[in-house]
Amino acid sequence: MEREGREMIARKQGSGGAAVSPCAACKLLRRRCVQDCIFAPYFPADEPQKFATVHKVFGASNVSKLLQELSMVQRSDAVSSLVYEANARVRDPVYGCVASISSLQRQINLLHAQLALAQAEIVHLHLQHAALFACTSTVAMAPLCSDATASANTSQSVIDSGNINEKTIFSIDMLLDHANIGLPMWSC
């Protein structure tokens, strides 16, 4: 908004009666740029490609009509949208910005799926940790052994004797999957 105001002031003041520099739209259309030109605040002379693309896709008269129907507050956003859509139409004449939107929607869906997998893996790891903690706390009640194999035998005997919390819904073999501890459940 500030830039538009400065440009309007500069256009009104001119340079001591000299001709005012035309905006990009008037320059491309080869017409005299008047002080209240509707294109001037949005298509400055130093950005000619911006208007050229919009003109190529939508036409200058359609853009002019659209801008005249909008309030001053909405015009800047409308021009930004027109420029974006025009650039998208030049890149992809059939789908335009819909192709970009579809691509972004696919990325969002993929990220949602990856997030769901990561959350499921966290739940799985929490269950493994809880089961491992339950097993180690039961083993801690058994007599301490200094030999590692004796300790393993003691923990296996505790598991075999059924001193594990009976409220768990998983079998102990699933909870103590020693071959896969530390490995992710899923790979992408």
Side-chain angles (χ1 to χ4, degrees), residues 156 159-160 170-178:
Q156 187 61 40
I159 291 170
D160 292 339
F170 300 106
S171 70
I172 201 65
D173 292 335
M174 181 182 158
L175 294 174
L176 293 176
D177 187 9
H178 295 289

Side-chain angles (χ1 to χ4, degrees), residues 89-158:
R89 284 279 168 197
V90 167
R91 280 193 312 271
D92 188 350
V94 175
Y95 294 107
C97 68
V98 174
S100 301
I101 293 169
S102 297
S103 173
L104 292 172
Q105 188 63 48
R106 281 192 301 273
Q107 288 179 0
I108 288 171
N109 292 339
L110 177 65
L111 291 172
H112 278 297
Q114 289 176 350
L115 178 63
L117 288 175
Q119 289 172 337
E121 188 171 345
I122 288 171
V123 169
H124 177 74
L125 291 173
H126 281 294
L127 289 174
Q128 275 186 341
H129 178 68
L132 190 59
F133 180 73
C135 290
T136 55
S137 64
T138 306
V139 171
M141 290 183 228
L144 294 175
C145 300
S146 60
D147 184 27
T149 55
S151 176
N153 290 337
T154 304
S155 65
Q156 187 61 40
S157 66
V158 169

Side-chain angles (χ1 to χ4, degrees), residues 7 9-23 26-27 31-35 45:
E7 289 177 6
I9 291 170
R11 292 174 61 76
K12 287 179 182 176
Q13 291 175 348
S15 55
V20 177
S21 174
C23 65
C26 293
K27 194 180 282 188
R31 67 181 190 189
R32 184 174 171 268
C33 192
V34 293
Q35 284 186 350

Side-chain angles (χ1 to χ4, degrees), residues 53-122:
T53 307
V54 171
H55 173 60
K56 180 178 179 182
V57 174
F58 298 108
S61 64
N62 290 332
V63 175
S64 174
K65 288 175 192 174
L66 178 82
L67 291 177
Q68 287 173 352
E69 290 176 6
L70 296 173
S71 68
M72 293 292 284
V73 177
Q74 296 174 322
R75 289 180 183 176
S76 179
D77 290 335
V79 168
S80 296
S81 296
L82 287 170
V83 170
Y84 182 80
E85 175 66 24
N87 286 328
R89 284 279 168 197
V90 167
R91 280 193 312 271
D92 188 350
V94 175
Y95 294 107
C97 68
V98 174
S100 301
I101 293 169
S102 297
S103 173
L104 292 172
Q105 188 63 48
R106 281 192 301 273
Q107 288 179 0
I108 288 171
N109 292 339
L110 177 65
L111 291 172
H112 278 297
Q114 289 176 350
L115 178 63
L117 288 175
Q119 289 172 337
E121 188 171 345
I122 288 171

